[in-house]
Structures are given as C-alpha cells and as structure tokens.
C-alpha cells in the first residue's frame, strides 16, 4: 500500500519521484531533489527524469544505478552545473528485503516492530563529480513494516517563531504517529508539518512517500 504527496513551493518545483515494478518480485522507488527552486529547479527535474528513464530498468543494484545515473548526467549536462540529491531503494517482496543507496539525500525512515529506524543517507550529490562511488545498504522489510521517504523540504520548515523543525522534529512526529496505517500516517505527518508552519507558505518543495 502506497501514500504519495507532492507539494511544490511555487507553481513548479525541483522534486521528482518514480515508483515502478522492476520485475515480478521487486519494486523500485526513486526520489530526487534538484538544487534551487521554481522554474530553474523544474527544468533540472526534466533532465534528471530523462536520464533516469534511460537506465531505470537496468538490472543493477541501487548504488550501481546511481553511479550510472551520475556518469550519464555529467556526460550529457556537465556545462549546466546542475546538482541533485537522490535516493533509490529496491524492495524485494519475495525475499522480504530492501536494498538502497543515496546521493547526498537525507536519511529516510523504516518503521518496524514499534521502532522508527533511520536508513543511511548522505554521500556526494549526483552531477557533482565524475566516477563517484555510492554506498549500498540492506535491511529486512517484512509484512507490517512501513517505509517513509521524503525530500529535505519536509523538515526544513519554520514556525511563526522562526524555529526550524529539523530532522529531529520530523523523527518525533513519525515516532508519535507510527502505529497508523500508511495512508493515514502520511496524511497525519503532512498535517503536523502544516500545523507547525502555521500558514500555506512553505520554505521548500515537499515530497512524502509512504509504503507498507
């Protein structure tokens, strides 16, 4: 079961995500965040999407896929100085495992057995350096587990006092709401962010994906 929510800061934004079935057993999820805002960032997402679409069906691990995406992107668009963070995760429904890799993306969250566990993020931004290597991580993903994926706009938001929510604030929200089914959980996370900001003006594009 999936939940997705995308809210650009302006009419267009720099976040992009893709969910598809790689093979009979595997779901592949891609989420990316281009630097900048508005039209410039939206143009970057067109280039990112084009590069990803060319390789997303390849039978590669997420780290290998990001390496290939990085190389392809730099070779085609190096003169544009476009950089982006991204996170790719493959969920094997047969083996009940997930494999992921990150390029400069924040750590994401796995909810399992009444725990909220951070999934490793970080690494170099894609589009920055040729021949960059990216780490691969693995974890179990069993029935009842939930996965929360997002861009940094979800927690880089400020309240009326000028206080930033930050990753710790987001973690506390997810920890508080973790028992809800994924659809309700996604809705409530976003509502908490909305309440924290206290207005309809957000500091950045927001993408939130949930999977159970």
């Amino acid at each position: 079961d999936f939940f997705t929510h995308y809210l650009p800061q302006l009419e267009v934004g720099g976040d992009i995500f893709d969910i598809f079935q790689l093979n009979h057993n595997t779901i592949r999820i891609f989420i990316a965040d281009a630097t900048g805002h508005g039209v410039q960032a939206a143009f970057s997402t067109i280039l990112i999407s084009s590069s990803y679409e060319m390789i997303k069906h390849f039978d590669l691990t997420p780290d290998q896929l990001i390496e290939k995406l990085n190389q392809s992107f730099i070779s085609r668009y190096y003169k544009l100085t476009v950089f982006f963070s991204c996170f790719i995760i493959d969920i094997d429904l047969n083996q009940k495992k997930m494999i992921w890799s990150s390029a400069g993306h924040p750590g994401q969250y796995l909810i399992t057995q009444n725990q909220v566990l951070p999934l490793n993020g970080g690494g170099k931004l894609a589009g920055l350096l040729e021949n960059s290597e990216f780490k691969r991580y693995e974890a179990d993903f069993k029935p009842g587990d939930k996965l929360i994926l997002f861009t940094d706009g979800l927690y880089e938001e400020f309240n009326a006092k000028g206080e930033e929510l930050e990753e710790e604030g987001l973690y506390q929200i997810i920890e508080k709401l973790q028992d809800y089914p994924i659809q309700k959980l996604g809705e409530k996370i976003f509502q908490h962010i909305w309440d924290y900001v206290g207005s309809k003006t957000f500091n950045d594009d927001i993408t939130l994906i949930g999977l159970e």
Side-chain angles (χ1 to χ4, degrees), residues 8-21:
Q9 182 195 24
L10 304 172
E11 288 80 2
V12 291
D15 287 0
I16 185 174
F17 68 91
D18 181 85
I19 302 170
F20 85 109
Q21 193 158 349

Side-chain angles (χ1 to χ4, degrees), residues 14 32-36 40-41 44-45 47-48 70 73-74 77-86 103 124-129:
D33 181 2
T35 56
Q40 179 185 353
S44 299
T45 64
L47 304 183
I48 296 166
N70 181 63
F73 196 85
I74 290 177
Y77 307 119
Y78 71 97
K79 291 184 179 180
L80 300 179
T81 61
V82 172
F83 314 122
F84 60 97
S85 75
C86 70
K124 297 181 179 68
L125 289 171
L128 187 61
L129 295 172

Side-chain angles (χ1 to χ4, degrees), residues 106-153:
Q108 312 287 276
Y109 292 113
L110 169 68
I111 300 172
T112 181
Q113 298 177 346
N114 298 318
Q115 299 181 83
V116 179
L117 304 175
L119 302 181
N120 298 80
K124 297 181 179 68
L125 289 171
L128 187 61
L129 295 172
E130 287 188 283
N131 303 314
S132 293
E133 295 183 356
F134 301 90
K135 293 183 178 181
R136 178 173 67 212
Y137 304 95
E138 299 184 20
D140 292 335
F141 191 70
K142 299 177 180 179
D145 289 350
K146 301 164 193 170
L147 185 63
I148 304 295
L149 308 176
F150 51 90
T151 54
D152 59 13

Side-chain angles (χ1 to χ4, degrees), residues 23-201:
N23 55 48
H24 183 69
N25 296 318
T26 307
I27 294 171
R28 173 167 285 170
I29 305 176
F30 170 74
I31 183 170
D33 181 2
T35 56
H37 300 285
V39 174
Q40 179 185 353
F43 175 71
S44 299
T45 64
I46 296 172
L47 304 183
I48 296 166
S49 178
S50 173
S51 296
Y52 179 68
E53 284 292 327
M54 294 174 62
I55 65 171
K56 74 176 189 178
H57 294 90
F58 289 5
D59 187 17
L60 299 172
T61 56
D63 57 308
Q64 294 170 333
L65 198 65
I66 292 180
E67 288 173 10
K68 194 166 189 67
L69 174 62
N70 181 63
Q71 283 298 109
S72 172
F73 196 85
I74 290 177
S75 66
R76 297 172 70 189
Y77 307 119
Y78 71 97
K79 291 184 179 180
L80 300 179
T81 61
V82 172
F83 314 122
F84 60 97
S85 75
C86 70
F87 190 94
I88 298 178
I89 186 164
D90 287 348
I91 300 169
D92 189 320
L93 303 176
N94 186 38
Q95 297 188 21
K96 298 179 177 59
K97 289 186 176 296
M98 56 187 188
I99 303 173
W100 74 91
S101 186
S102 167
H105 207 74
Q108 312 287 276
Y109 292 113
L110 169 68
I111 300 172
T112 181
Q113 298 177 346
N114 298 318
Q115 299 181 83
V116 179
L117 304 175
L119 302 181
N120 298 80
K124 297 181 179 68
L125 289 171
L128 187 61
L129 295 172
E130 287 188 283
N131 303 314
S132 293
E133 295 183 356
F134 301 90
K135 293 183 178 181
R136 178 173 67 212
Y137 304 95
E138 299 184 20
D140 292 335
F141 191 70
K142 299 177 180 179
D145 289 350
K146 301 164 193 170
L147 185 63
I148 304 295
L149 308 176
F150 51 90
T151 54
D152 59 13
L154 192 64
Y155 60 82
E156 291 183 346
E157 300 295 341
F158 295 83
N159 62 16
K161 298 179 181 179
E163 301 166 330
E164 187 175 3
L165 179 63
E166 300 184 338
E167 290 180 84
E168 179 61 29
L170 176 61
Y171 177 86
Q172 292 174 4
I173 290 172
I174 295 173
E175 189 174 44
K176 177 181 178 181
L177 302 172
Q178 62 178 293
D179 293 335
Y180 284 99
I182 197 63
Q183 291 283 342
K184 184 63 69 175
L185 175 59
E187 293 170 5
K188 284 188 170 291
I189 290 173
F190 190 77
Q191 185 61 55
H192 272 67
I193 303 298
W194 194 284
D195 292 343
Y196 184 84
V197 172
S199 72
K200 295 184 179 180
T201 302

